[in-house]
Amino acid sequence: MDTQLARGAEMIGAARKILVFTGAGLSTESGIPDFRSPGGIWEKYDPSDFYFQKLISDETAREKYWQMSTEFYGTIRDALPNQAHLAIKTLEDRGRLLAVVTQNIDNLHHKAGNSPDRIIELHGTVISVSCLSCRKKYERDEIQARLRGGVKVPYCDDCGGILKPDTISFGQAMPQEEMERAMRYAAQCDLCMVLGSSLVVYPAASVPIQAVQNGARLMIINRDPTPQDPDADLVLRMSVSKALDGMLGILFA
Ligand code: ZN
């Protein structure tokens, strides 16, 4: 394992434009369960209740959505960035980070202190809410206060439209601008580091493919195998924070 960490440190040391790609495995150490894991939220709720088309057409589905989402939001709101998030911040401080592209909706890269203009949230964020009709934006905490006050399904103050957290639901289109930015950075980077993602959710998982096709080296740190392991220059099946601690320790000691 030490040899592999040394190899990872060498790869980071040689890179000048690192694209970090993160998934749920990065945030489990911050106490945020993976949606899709045993014990995750989809064992308690049925994902088919939360398809985008159902949310916009069915008031009962919206009420259930806000119950589920409120439960999940409490965990996220109180979560703190872990050593892995802080290591990614260190990469930015050292001038190595091109961008961090995340599948996570938990705001932890912002909390870790990475520049907002370097963070691309492909699946949105829990910290704001938008009106689906007029696009008016609300702070999530303001909407949560309404729910605590007894409102079951909140609506837009301005137009009465449906409100929804700014996360991408099943059946909802990916944010096009974010996806395009991610692919642009993937084409520019010299190293792509996949951290805590199993690379099974598309189109997000096409970001590292784009990086490799454009000549970048690929490092994958994830507990489980991923479909892109054969294309990687280095694969580490271990805790992301331990791996990054080890590598940055060697590199910046
Ligand atoms: Zn509105």
Side-chain angles (χ1 to χ4, degrees), residues 179-193:
M179 196 62 210
E180 283 171 5
R181 280 178 68 213
M183 292 303 263
R184 221 166 31 238
Y185 283 129
Q188 292 167 10
C189 70
D190 54 8
L191 171 64
C192 177
M193 296 172 69

Side-chain angles (χ1 to χ4, degrees), residues 131 133-136 138 156 158-161:
C131 170
S133 301
C134 75
R135 304 310 306 171
K136 179 175 176 170
Y138 297 82
C156 179
D158 284 3
C159 77

Side-chain angles (χ1 to χ4, degrees), residues 160-171:
I162 294 171
L163 296 184
K164 190 186 159 298
D166 289 331
T167 51
I168 306 302
S169 293
F170 298 114

